[in-house]
Amino acid sequence: MISQAGRPSVVLVVEDNLANQLLVDAMLLDSGYEVRFASSASEALKSIELMRPDLILMDISLPGQDGLSLTRQLKADPANASMQIVALTAHAMLGDRELSLDAGCIGHITKPFDTKALRAQIAGFLAMAAA
Ligand code: MN
């Protein structure tokens, strides 16, 4: 998928678990996206400034600052408020989706994820983000 800017869509995956990083990487292979990874909130902030990703897949449980706190921080910053963030998390309890949406996420995908479904979901969120 090509973003409006005419470059490949950039997807930033904020995930501290290497196995999950590799899984998402394998899943998005041949997707045409430029996929980048950050394993902490501070790494994510640097990547966001440099890459201006079209979509951020945000793990919630991270070492240090958690993903929902980072999402709130981004949404409160006019320079980053337009970032499209989807929670990608093992938090699947009742109410967790609402917490993600309240923090400013446009979606909430629970792990373990269905790899085929995730690919379609990401395409859908990118289309939403471009609309
Ligand atoms: Mn994690």
Side-chain angles (χ1 to χ4, degrees), residues 66-86:
D66 70 67
L68 289 185
S69 167
L70 176 58
T71 298
R72 287 188 210 96
Q73 180 183 330
L74 290 166
K75 289 290 160 181
D77 177 354
N80 292 318
S82 65
M83 287 292 140
Q84 302 290 312
I85 305 169
V86 174

Side-chain angles (χ1 to χ4, degrees), residues 47-113:
S47 293
I48 289 162
E49 196 179 333
L50 286 172
M51 305 165 25
R52 310 305 299 168
D54 298 291
L55 188 70
I56 300 172
L57 299 180
M58 182 74 82
D59 182 25
I60 292 179
S61 298
L62 295 169
Q65 185 179 11
D66 70 67
L68 289 185
S69 167
L70 176 58
T71 298
R72 287 188 210 96
Q73 180 183 330
L74 290 166
K75 289 290 160 181
D77 177 354
N80 292 318
S82 65
M83 287 292 140
Q84 302 290 312
I85 305 169
V86 174
L88 188 62
T89 174
H91 294 227
M93 303 288 283
L94 198 66
D96 281 331
R97 173 178 297 275
E98 286 68 26
L99 287 175
S100 295
L101 299 181
D102 284 351
C105 294
I106 57 171
H108 179 99
I109 297 172
T110 54
K111 300 174 203 167
F113 38 72

